[in-house]
Amino acid sequence: MTLTRRTFLTDALAATALGSGLGLPFATRSAQAADTSGYRALVCVFLFGGLDNHDTVLPYDSASYNSFAAVRSSLLQAQGANRARTALLPLTTTDPTQFGSRQFALPPELAGIKGLYDQGNAAIIGNVGPLIQPTTRLAFEQESVLLPPRLFSHNDQQATWQSSSPEGAVFGWGGRFMDAMIEAGANSRLPFSTITSGGGELFLTGSRARPYQISPAGAAVVELLADAAALRNEPGGEVFYQQALALLRSEQYTGSHLLERDIASSVRGAIDSNALYNQALASAPSLTTTFPASGLSAQLRAVAQAISVRSALGANRQVFTVAMGGFDTHSQQATSLPALLGEIDAAVTAFYSEMVAQGLANDVTLFTASDFGRTLAVNGDGTDHGWGGHHFVVGGSVNGGAIYGDLPPATVGHEWDSGGGRLIPTTAVEQMAAPLGRWFGLNATEIAAALPNLANFSSASSLAFI
């Protein structure tokens, strides 16, 4: 665990809440506990800044593409040949009549994910985003429905995606999923239940599930102790290291203050967990997949390493987050976004290949998430904050080669346009999360506890993408 000021304070506050009995989302056990058999892991790839949904899944039939191109003419011109209709990668669906005469495609930068889609190992969830209850354009304009607080705000919508609440939320639905698994007896060593190598701590936080941080290089590090360890071969360095270790582990602490004791216990636990994690990693088999040189690839490689030592870590259910930024493309989108999409594609396809090599393709499911989508309208050389967006789910258990949910027309002024092609979601985050929870092993009661807004959506069980 990388022990930072944020981690330190978060763990201290959580310890206080638990000590007082506050904030427990699973107050009662359901009659039939979660299924903890075998191994399963969820991997959330969070794309900070707001991924442009209109440049992720594009219209492909001539009529739709021409309408799209008319609205985005300046941006398409700047993007050049890669956004010509002939350069796009057309998608087939399991139901050819699903969208009538409309067809869709991926940009050329997503060729690897397109290959997984064609193989049936990737699916698209269309127009998903934060909602409290089903919302139409008329209801939005008349303010006749409850809306997520502070729409179009980066921090608040990142938090709402991860926890169904704006900035200041405490528990994320990934952490709540893991809480239910822990209650049902999963994982003999709890620190390795939820792991991040790049942010998204809120998503991983539950009453009992706490985000365990590893570096993109794979190792777990307490920064202060790592600095001391670097001096161990210097004169007096070993003594200094042992003193630093004893100090951080609070071996001489004798105080009786409850909060101080909880903080000391948290730090001591982090150091001991790191030692166990690094010991497991040192004996891990080498990965067979070559991951590209990028930040996201490094994080997913670290996740793959953690999964490879799951038995040594005592984990048969895990939730991971990785993240990358750069998606707030108000300007220079034509040059920045294609490179970002290419990085996602290379990293995700390498990770899937490694899961195949480990024999875990059916046991690990990866999905993307982001603050929000973006406007169809162009602001000059970029796009502005949106709402609904399109996302990918990847894994051997995915009912792939299909688009789930809806893809509204790539025009402005339709029923799902809240202005400038900013899509009102037709699928709530909870509706995307619920099938992932069922696959993970949760029962209906546990899913309802983790996703309290789910009850507001009558079609919650219709997204059978996994």
Side-chain angles (χ1 to χ4, degrees), residues 83-235:
R83 289 302 178 272
R85 181 176 177 274
T86 53
L88 303 181
L89 308 175
L91 298 167
T92 58
T93 62
T94 53
D95 179 4
T97 66
Q98 181 180 6
F99 297 102
S101 61
R102 292 194 296 146
Q103 299 173 327
F104 303 95
L106 298 183
E109 297 85 14
L110 296 179
I113 291 177
K114 167 65 161 56
L116 295 177
Y117 180 96
D118 290 343
Q119 296 163 18
N121 297 315
I124 294 167
I125 314 300
N127 195 23
V128 58
L131 290 171
I132 296 176
Q133 59 190 91
T135 303
T136 64
R137 178 180 177 181
L138 180 62
F140 172 75
E141 292 174 345
Q142 294 181 342
E143 300 181 354
S144 60
V145 294
L146 291 174
L147 296 172
R150 297 187 283 279
L151 283 171
F152 321 127
S153 157
H154 284 294
N155 292 346
D156 293 295
Q157 296 314 299
Q158 290 164 10
T160 302
W161 244 100
Q162 296 177 44
S163 70
S164 302
S165 299
E167 188 175 26
V170 177
F171 299 118
W173 53 268
R176 291 189 184 109
F177 281 8
M178 202 64 242
D179 279 345
M181 284 294 166
I182 292 170
E183 285 289 312
N187 295 0
S188 59
R189 294 190 174 108
L190 300 189
F192 311 112
S193 299
T194 56
I195 297 178
T196 175
S197 63
E201 289 87 350
L202 172 59
F203 175 72
L204 298 177
T205 302
S207 293
R208 300 184 66 183
R210 311 298 302 154
Y212 183 81
Q213 296 182 340
I214 60 176
S215 74
V221 178
V222 174
E223 293 170 356
L224 296 176
L225 194 59
D227 292 341
L231 303 174
R232 293 181 74 173
N233 293 327
E234 301 294 328

Side-chain angles (χ1 to χ4, degrees), residues 313-365:
L313 299 179
N316 63 318
R317 286 294 185 280
Q318 291 179 295
V319 183
F320 297 88
T321 61
V322 298
M324 65 182 292
F327 294 93
D328 195 19
T329 51
H330 288 285
S331 61
Q332 300 182 335
Q333 178 168 319
T335 54
S336 63
L337 186 58
L340 294 170
L341 293 177
E343 183 175 338
I344 295 170
D345 187 76
V348 169
T349 52
F351 179 77
Y352 179 78
S353 295
E354 178 58 31
M355 293 301 98
V356 171
Q358 292 189 26
L360 294 172
N362 293 337
D363 303 315
V364 179
T365 298

